[in-house]
């Protein structure tokens, strides 16, 4: 499964881009105050792909490094997710998926078993294989979150 992640990540990024062509107000609207808007989910996934890319690269440079917290919730406000332009986010998310996929495509078989201390939900040693599959899960999960909100 992990070796299929690069192609799947690129494909999911294209699906995000399609959704981001919608009405800007609808993309910025939160269904509830505690739930991110579709645009905020897309921004989050862009940043997750970039963070995961850096984590995979880190595992190639260091033995069992500790991942840095990406500040998931703080980024929404700090980066102004809701004010960003959907077309820009679509392009950036596509680029982030390409960058992440490139790093995975370049892994040797032994690299998939390299590990990192992943902090969420609690500190635990995880393989690069797990990081790749977990990232794919996040792409799929938040794509579904976006679709559900846009259908309402």
């Amino acid at each position: 499964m992990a070796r299929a992640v690069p192609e799947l990540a690129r494909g999911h990024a294209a699906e995000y881009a399609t959704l981001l062509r919608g009405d800007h107000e609808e993309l910025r609207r939160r269904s509830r105050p505690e739930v991110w808007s579709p645009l905020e989910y897309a921004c989050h996934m862009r940043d997750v792909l970039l963070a995961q890319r850096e984590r995979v690269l880190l595992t190639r440079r260091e033995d069992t490094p500790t991942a840095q917290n990406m500040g998931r919730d703080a980024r929404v406000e700090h980066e102004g997710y809701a004010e960003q332009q959907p077309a820009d986010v679509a392009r950036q998310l596509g680029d982030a998926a390409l960058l992440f996929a490139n790093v995975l495509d370049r892994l040797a078989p032994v690299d998939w078993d390299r590990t990192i201390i992943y902090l969420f939900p609690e500190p635990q040693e995880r393989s690069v294989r797990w990081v790749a599959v977990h990232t794919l899960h996040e792409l799929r999960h938040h794509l579904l979150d976006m679709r559900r909100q846009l259908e309402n």
Side-chain angles (χ1 to χ4, degrees), residues 38-125:
L39 179 59
E40 290 167 327
Y41 277 119
C43 290
H44 169 67
M45 275 317 308
R46 173 202 57 208
D47 292 348
V48 165
L49 287 165
L50 294 172
Q52 297 296 69
R53 172 184 181 262
E54 290 305 315
R55 290 169 178 164
V56 172
L57 288 169
L58 184 61
T59 67
R60 296 194 71 193
R61 294 190 310 271
E62 299 178 18
D63 291 330
T64 315
T66 299
Q68 293 299 307
N69 184 320
M70 70 175 279
R72 177 187 76 173
D73 293 321
R75 284 176 183 255
V76 177
E77 180 184 336
H78 294 170
E79 293 195 34
Y81 280 2
E83 290 84 39
Q84 295 185 24
Q85 295 302 311
D88 293 341
V89 174
R91 184 187 68 253
Q92 293 161 359
L93 198 151
D95 289 344
L98 290 173
L99 290 165
F100 178 66
N102 177 62
V103 167
L104 295 181
D105 282 336
R106 299 181 56 78
L107 294 174
V110 68
D111 293 329
W112 289 97
D113 295 321
R114 293 189 61 82
T115 59
I116 188 168
I117 305 299
Y118 204 83
L119 301 176
F120 185 82
E122 58 198 37
Q124 186 170 1
E125 190 171 328

